[in-house]
Amino acid sequence: GTGRFCRQIIQKMRERRGEICPAPLFPLHLRCDMIVQDIFRDLETVRKEAESMREFVKKEAVLVIAFVCAAVSMFFVPPSAAYAGYIDVPVLVQLFCLMTVVAGLQQYGLFRVLARKILSGRKSFRFLCAVLVLLPYVASMFVTNDVALLTFVPFALLLLGMCGRSQTAPLIIVLQTAAANLGSMLLPSGNPQNLFLFSRYHMTMAQLVGTVAPFAAVSLVLVLVPCFFVPDLSVSVDVPAQEGET
C-alpha cells in the first residue's frame, strides 16, 4: 500500500539522480508518463518565471536600462576601489530628504487645497487656464516636476470637466507638462540634476537662480501665451474637497 508507493517514489528519485538502481519498479510507459509530466511542470515553472521577469522589465524599464548601461560601462572602466568615490553621499541624502518632504506634502494634499481655494467661485476661463498652467510651474520648483504633474493634471481634468470645457484639456495638459519641466529648473529642489549641480559645484542659491532666472522667465511667458487664445468666458467652479482635505 502506502509504504510500497513511497518506496517507488524514492526509487524514481534515485533514478533521476543517476544512481545505480535495481530492476525498474514501474512499467516503462508509466515511468515515461511521469517524466513527461515532470518536464511539462518544469517548463510551466520556467514560463511563469519568464513572464514575471518580463513584467518587471516593463514596470521598471528605467532601472533595467540604467543597470545594463552600468554593467556595460564596467568593460570600459574596470571595477576598482575608485568606484567608491563615484557615490555622492551628500546629494543622495539631500535627494532622499526632498523625496520624503514631497511624499508628505502629496499625502496631505497641500497643493490641491491651495488650488481649490484659489479657483473656487466665478472666474474668467482665461484666468482659470492660466492658473492651471501656473500651478505646476510654481509647484515643480519645490516638489519636482513629476509630482507637480501627478498632482495637477487630474485636478485640471476635474475642473475643466466641471466647467463643461473638456475639449480644452489636451491644450492645458500639454502646457502643464511644459510648465512643470521648465519651472523645475529654477531651484535646486526642482529636479535631481539641479540638486547635483548645486552641490557638486558649491553654488550659492543666488548664483543658481541668477543664472537660470532669465530662461525661466522667458519660458513662463511662452507657456502662458496660449492661454490668451482660449475663449474669454465666465465660469463658476465649485471644487469638491477630497477626504482628508480641509
Side-chain angles (χ1 to χ4, degrees):
T2 305
R4 180 183 176 187
F5 179 77
C6 291
R7 287 195 297 271
Q8 290 175 341
I9 295 297
I10 294 172
Q11 186 69 20
K12 181 176 179 295
M13 293 174 62
R14 289 177 176 173
E15 289 179 6
R16 296 191 65 182
R17 289 200 303 265
E19 297 180 5
I20 299 177
C21 174
L25 298 177
F26 290 139
L28 180 60
H29 71 281
L30 291 179
R31 288 195 296 154
C32 290
D33 287 345
M34 295 180 67
I35 292 174
V36 169
Q37 290 176 8
D38 289 343
I39 291 174
F40 276 107
R41 191 179 301 111
D42 293 341
L43 289 175
E44 181 64 17
T45 302
V46 171
R47 187 192 67 79
K48 290 181 179 179
E49 291 294 334
E51 185 67 24
S52 176
M53 183 63 68
R54 189 181 301 110
E55 289 298 323
F56 175 80
V57 172
K58 289 172 60 177
K59 184 179 179 181
E60 302 291 347
V62 175
L63 174 63
V64 173
I65 293 172
F67 177 81
V68 171
C69 292
V72 171
S73 69
M74 294 172 65
F75 290 98
F76 300 96
V77 183
S80 65
Y83 270 33
Y86 299 160
I87 302 175
D88 198 326
V89 177
V91 172
L92 292 177
V93 171
Q94 292 173 27
L95 185 58
F96 172 78
C97 295
L98 172 63
M99 294 173 66
T100 303
V101 173
V102 166
L105 293 176
Q106 190 175 24
Q107 180 178 357
Y108 286 98
L110 172 64
F111 290 99
R112 277 187 59 91
V113 172
L114 293 177
R116 181 163 54 84
K117 293 185 180 299
I118 293 172
L119 295 175
S120 292
R122 181 160 292 278
K123 309 288 182 183
S124 164
F125 186 60
R126 285 182 181 175
F127 173 80
L128 178 66
C129 292
V131 173
L132 288 176
V133 174
L134 278 172
L135 285 172
Y137 181 89
V138 176
S140 65
M141 301 178 190
F142 304 97
V143 296
T144 72
N145 51 10
D146 52 348
V147 174
L149 289 174
L150 288 173
T151 301
F152 292 114
V153 167
F155 184 75
L157 292 174
L158 173 65
L159 258 67
L160 293 173
M162 295 174 61
C163 297
R165 306 297 299 179
S166 297
Q167 66 272 23
T168 316
L171 172 64
I172 298 302
I173 292 174
V174 169
L175 293 176
Q176 283 185 321
T177 303
N181 283 278
L182 293 170
S184 65
M185 66 180 170
L186 187 60
L187 298 179
S189 55
N191 56 58
Q193 298 92 320
N194 276 15
L195 193 60
F196 172 77
L197 294 173
F198 184 74
S199 175
R200 180 72 173 179
Y201 296 101
H202 307 289
M203 302 176 69
T204 64
M205 183 67 72
Q207 287 175 325
L208 178 64
V209 174
T211 302
V212 180
F215 303 98
V218 172
S219 65
L220 176 60
V221 173
L222 292 177
V223 295
L224 285 178
V225 166
C227 295
F228 292 96
F229 292 92
V230 300
D232 191 18
L233 307 173
S234 178
V235 294
S236 180
V237 181
D238 183 17
V239 186
Q242 291 186 342
E243 184 178 355
E245 294 182 359
T246 58

